[in-house]
Amino acid sequence: MLGALIAALLFFRAEAPAASAITSIAAPTASVPRDAPPPIAIASPPSPSAATSAVVPVAQPAGKVSPGRAWDSAIAKARQTNIRVAAHQAAISGSLIDAFAVERARQRCLLQDVQFRMALYNHKDKVPDGMRQAHAQLEQVCEGAITVGPPKLLSIRNDAGFGDLAETLLNRNGLIQDDALRERLLRRILETQSLELLEAFAPSLLRAETIPLLGLDPSAELPAVADLAMLRLAIQLQACNARGDCQRVAQESFNCIDARSCVSNLNDFPEQLIFAPSAQRLFVYRLTEKPVEEAVLRQRWAEIQEAVARIGG
């Protein structure tokens, strides 16, 4: 069964699993299949001419539910619904929102199961009871996930205003190599004001040159990889707090043992692994010759939180 799960995993992108803030900023291990941020994520800052203005969300008429809430609600619901039931409902609705929500849930199921099994294989005696319980709960909603295929574009009858970007949204079988397409998709996601959509695509769409789209300038004091890791964490925290499941998200970070980044609640991550004394910080916050002062990290965290707080329907 493990071989089948790993084989299935190779056919879709695991960009942002439920514990992406922990896993995406940790060093990828040979035992866990995952997408590492491409080299451009730590490239030199772009020239001033490449600066991009912040995206202004589309205003909604009074009394109308914002697109972001529709996306966030569907994705959050799919996380708690049996995957086969959710897939059946999405097929009936023909909605891009429902199709993506199911695909997001399917990826979570497949990736988290592989990561849990690898954690048991590599660290049998170190997997805490909380993680074992989280996996048992995950198995209930993920039963039959291996039999659920990816969504088909031809079955979409309502593209939620994404037009030709609908295919890119659903096609998560590889990194988006086209810079212009990457920026278009990020702009469209920011226009929806959906935290869940932004969290799903943060690892592949957020780069030093696209940070200004969130109304935020790249940090002049932190390495790009640390700055982006902090931004992705802030987005994930905003999303899990909105759902009310930050503790469960942390418990589902089954590969945190390898990265030495385990926390009991994702809200504890900043204090324990970013603002801690230099030797205790997660490795991406120790990439400079001279330790970054805690005050600098806290100031940047406050700036990022303010930018992320502006997102959400």
Side-chain angles (χ1 to χ4, degrees):
M1 177 61 73
L2 178 58
L5 287 170
I6 295 177
L9 181 64
L10 296 177
F11 286 93
F12 66 85
R13 294 189 61 196
E15 301 179 307
S20 61
I22 297 177
T23 57
S24 67
I25 58 182
T29 63
S31 62
V32 181
R34 57 177 296 99
D35 279 345
I40 191 172
I42 56 175
S44 301
S47 62
S49 61
T52 312
S53 59
V55 172
V56 178
V58 178
Q60 297 298 314
K64 184 177 180 180
V65 177
S66 71
R69 289 183 181 176
W71 283 97
D72 292 349
S73 176
I75 294 172
K77 181 180 178 181
R79 288 174 62 90
Q80 304 174 46
T81 305
N82 177 272
I83 187 68
R84 289 184 297 182
V85 173
H88 177 69
Q89 293 173 343
I92 294 175
S93 75
S95 166
L96 176 66
I97 295 177
D98 292 339
F100 179 83
V102 171
E103 178 64 0
R104 178 83 166 130
R106 186 179 77 95
Q107 291 177 9
R108 173 193 178 212
C109 288
L110 298 178
L111 180 65
Q112 300 301 80
D113 189 59
V114 170
Q115 289 185 345
F116 179 73
R117 293 175 186 276
M118 296 307 293
L120 287 179
Y121 181 81
N122 294 325
H123 310 282
K124 183 177 181 180
D125 299 327
K126 295 182 180 180
V127 178
D129 290 340
M131 282 191 180
R132 296 174 187 271
Q133 294 170 6
H135 181 258
Q137 295 173 357
L138 193 60
E139 282 187 315
Q140 296 179 15
V141 295
C142 293
E143 181 185 4
I146 196 69
T147 65
V148 176
K152 294 179 174 58
L153 184 65
L154 292 178
S155 66
I156 303 300
R157 297 186 296 278
N158 178 357
D159 65 12
F162 270 71
D164 62 331
L165 287 174
E167 183 175 7
T168 304
L169 195 77
L170 292 178
N171 180 19
R172 297 161 64 81
N173 294 322
L175 291 172
I176 300 174
Q177 302 293 342
D178 188 306
D179 291 342
L181 179 60
R182 183 186 298 120
E183 181 173 328
R184 273 189 67 208
L185 182 58
L186 179 56
R187 283 183 177 277
R188 185 67 189 91
I189 289 173
L190 289 173
E191 287 172 356
T192 69
Q193 292 283 281
S194 168
L195 278 169
E196 295 283 353
L197 266 183
L198 184 59
E199 181 191 2
F201 282 93
S204 61
L205 297 183
L206 291 180
R207 301 285 184 267
E209 64 270 23
T210 56
I211 286 181
L213 291 175
L214 281 74
L216 189 70
D217 291 326
S219 174
E221 299 177 273
L222 296 180
V225 64
D227 200 30
L228 288 167
M230 193 178 285
L231 176 57
R232 291 165 185 162
L233 174 63
I235 292 169
Q236 189 179 23
L237 275 173
Q238 187 87 344
C240 75
N241 277 304
R243 294 191 307 263
D245 64 357
C246 289
Q247 181 175 355
R248 181 168 180 174
V249 167
Q251 295 298 329
E252 287 182 7
S253 178
F254 302 128
N255 64 347
C256 70
I257 300 174
D258 286 320
R260 299 180 181 179
S261 60
C262 296
V263 290
S264 59
N265 188 308
L266 197 61
N267 285 301
D268 299 331
F269 196 99
E271 291 296 333
Q272 294 185 20
L273 294 167
I274 299 179
F275 308 136
S278 180
Q280 300 174 27
R281 295 173 186 168
L282 194 65
F283 79 98
V284 293
Y285 301 104
R286 293 185 277 110
L287 294 179
T288 54
E289 292 185 11
K290 182 180 179 181
V292 179
E293 294 182 5
E294 179 184 337
V296 172
L297 291 169
R298 288 188 181 277
Q299 175 62 34
R300 183 55 175 171
W301 179 245
E303 295 169 356
I304 287 176
Q305 283 187 304
E306 182 180 353
V308 174
R310 293 192 290 266
I311 303 168

